[in-house]
Every structure is written in C-alpha cells, then in structure tokens.
Amino acid sequence: MTMTEPAASHTATREPILKARNLVKTFGRVVGLDGVSLDLYPGEVLAIIGDNGAGKSTLIKCLTGAEVPDSGELFVSGKPVHFKRPQDARAHGIETVYQNLAVSPALDVASNLFLGREERIPGPVGKLFRVLDTKGMRRKAKEELTRLGISTLQDVTVPVENLSGGQRQAVAVARAAAFGSKVVVLDEPTAALGVRESNQVLQLVRDLRDRGLPVILISHNMPHVFDVADRIHIQRLGKCAATITPQSHNMTDAVAIMTGAATA
Ligand SMILES: Nc1ncnc2c1ncn2[C@@H]1O[C@H](COP(=O)(O)OP(=O)(O)O)[C@@H](O)[C@H]1O
Ligand SMILES: [Mg+2]
C-alpha cells in the first residue's frame, strides 16, 4: 500500500478551496487533534473516517468554526482565515450539516432553505414591519433546488415533517449547498437512513460534486465511503494516518489503517 497524492491535474493546476495545516486542538490534557493537515479540491468528495475518538468531529469543527484550534493554519482559496465561530466559516461559504438534522419540522421546505437568512418584501413596508417575502423565497428556493439538481423535493410549500427521512436530509443538504456555498460538510448524513434513502443522499452528494461543489463527508459506513468518495482521509489517535483513494486501497486496507493494524 502506498500513500497517495491527489491526481496530478489537481496539484498542478488547482488551488485547494480549503487547506488546513498542522491543526492542533487540546481539551485540557486530552489531545483532540495532533497536527492534522488536509486539502479539499474543487469538485471532489473527501471522506473522513476513523474510530470513535480519532478526532473526526474535532477536525470538522476546526474547519467550520465550531472550535478554534490551539495552533495551525487554515486557508480558503489560498487566503489565510481565522474562524472564531460558525458564522465566520459560513461567511466564507463553508456550510455544515451536523448529524442531528438541522431542519425545522414545522416549517416548509422553502422556509427551511432560508432559515437564518429570511428575506423581507422589498420597500419600506418590508423594512418597517419585517414582512417576509414568502413568494420570493419560494421562487428562489425552487430555482436553487433546480440548480443543485435536487429533484426529490418537488413542492417547496410542504412542511418538512411530512417528508421522508431521505427528503429531510435532502433539505438539510440543500440548505447547506444553496446560495453560493463553496464547501459542504456532512456529518454522517446516512446514519439514520434506510438503504433506498441512503442511496438518494449519496446520489445528491455526487450531484453536488459534479456541479463543482466539494463535499467533506464524515461517515462510518465503509461501502458508502467507497461508493462516493474521491479521496479518503483516515484519522487515527488525533492524527491523519493516511489519505487514500478507493482505487489505491480497498475497505479491508482502510479498516486496517484505521485500527493501526497496518500503515499506508
Ligand atoms: N469538548 C471536549 N472536551 C473534552 N474532550 C473532547 C471534547 N471534544 C472532543 N474531545 C476528545 O477529543 C478526542 C477526539 O474526539 P472527537 O473529535 O469527537 O472524535 P471522533 O469524532 O472521531 O469520534 C476524544 O478523545 C474526545 O474525547
Ligand atoms: Mg464524532
């Protein structure tokens, strides 16, 4: 087994959209991240795998502003950034879907897409009385879903509680991918889903990738990871043990690296 680099075309011609160097994060005497680097290139699905406690969540929290690393560097499109809170990462187009679905069941699909960035009707009435531009948001929500290739959500006026688990996950992913996002981070998006719904979400991940939007996917599900990832970052004991591809390594190899039974 050999350590793999991204395809030559990546390194020769492309700047990573998101680049992390030597991230360290400690919690008292516990080392969450012990000098982790990562590159995310345009139009790729980068999976992050690793045993419980390996540092996956801490890593994505540092990438998305939910935790501030003790040391290390972060770059978005080559420019250094310092995220103090999730809003800072969002302002740079980095959107995260956390494991416990970030959707509001009672609201319809369009309202969920605009959650936290609601639009008022234009003019003084909207400004003064803060009247929501429901029609405008529904129209834009439809446009975004079409642009993202999300066909599983036909009617944006349906309350999310009436949707299937897979469709709800699609709403959460759409919300993260919409409105000019640069990076979508998904934490275990198929964990609570059945086979058919998981396949829908995996197809959605591929569609986003094919539209040029890079995706970071945290997953325990090896078949899902090997199905959809272009590269696989393996966390072990707070470090990156290896970055492999589904072409360079198989699932048994990946598990062996994850558990320390083998090195890349
Ligand atoms: N807020 C925290 N306080 C104390 N320890 C933490 C905290 N968050 C994570 N850790 C520790 O950091 C290590 C990495 O955890 P985590 O990133 O959650 O791993 P994973 O997501 O891979 O299961 C673990 O030892 C965990 O107990
Ligand atoms: Mg975790």
Side-chain angles (χ1 to χ4, degrees):
M1 294 193 279
T2 49
M3 181 94 170
T4 54
E5 294 293 323
S9 61
H10 276 147
T11 45
T13 59
R14 287 171 149 188
E15 173 100 51
I17 289 193
L18 185 62
K19 184 164 93 175
R21 287 295 174 271
N22 292 313
L23 296 181
V24 173
K25 177 72 186 175
T26 53
F27 304 96
R29 282 159 55 195
V30 176
V31 181
L33 292 181
D34 190 7
V36 174
S37 298
L38 170 153
D39 290 310
L40 179 69
Y41 288 90
E44 75 168 348
V45 176
L46 177 67
I48 298 179
I49 64 173
D51 248 334
N52 285 332
K56 302 180 298 294
S57 296
T58 307
L59 175 57
I60 62 152
K61 284 178 182 168
C62 288
L63 299 177
T64 60
E67 294 273 14
V68 181
D70 304 341
S71 63
E73 296 164 293
L74 266 185
F75 304 86
V76 173
S77 302
K79 296 201 184 70
V81 291
H82 302 275
F83 299 150
K84 299 269 186 293
R85 54 192 79 82
Q87 297 93 295
D88 298 341
R90 287 186 82 185
H92 282 86
I94 299 168
E95 295 277 349
T96 314
V97 179
Y98 291 103
Q99 199 167 346
N100 36 353
L101 281 183
V103 291
S104 297
L107 298 180
D108 66 27
V109 172
S111 305
N112 266 283
L113 289 193
F114 278 90
L115 211 60
R117 55 185 156 213
E118 290 82 0
E119 295 186 353
R120 313 287 160 186
I121 60 170
V125 176
K127 267 214 178 91
L128 262 172
F129 301 105
R130 307 187 57 78
V131 180
L132 291 179
D133 184 9
T134 306
K135 246 167 109 182
M137 286 192 286
R138 285 182 174 170
R139 181 175 45 77
K140 286 183 193 168
K142 267 188 215 153
E143 285 168 9
E144 279 298 307
L145 291 174
T146 305
R147 191 181 64 78
L148 295 168
I150 299 175
S151 53
T152 177
L153 304 170
Q154 292 293 338
D155 184 354
V156 298
T157 68
V158 174
V160 162
E161 61 198 358
N162 294 356
L163 300 177
S164 71
Q167 287 174 318
R168 285 184 200 202
Q169 189 60 268
V171 173
V173 174
R175 183 171 127 74
F179 312 112
S181 293
K182 281 191 191 165
V183 173
V184 174
V185 181
L186 304 174
D187 194 356
E188 298 276 359
T190 58
L193 302 180
V195 174
R196 209 176 69 91
E197 301 203 311
S198 291
N199 286 335
Q200 280 177 5
V201 170
L202 293 176
Q203 187 54 44
L204 185 46
V205 169
R206 284 189 207 97
D207 290 344
L208 295 181
R209 187 249 325 267
D210 294 346
R211 282 168 162 74
L213 194 64
V215 178
I216 295 178
L217 173 76
I218 294 93
S219 180
H220 273 101
N221 188 308
M222 285 296 156
H224 290 175
V225 165
F226 272 76
D227 191 6
V228 81
D230 296 298
R231 294 190 303 127
I232 304 167
H233 171 119
I234 307 178
Q235 270 295 121
R236 177 173 152 70
L237 304 174
K239 291 185 156 84
C240 176
T243 306
I244 63 171
T245 72
Q247 291 75 43
S248 70
H249 295 69
N250 63 30
M251 288 187 226
T252 313
D253 300 333
V255 172
I257 297 168
M258 238 172 80
T259 56
T263 53

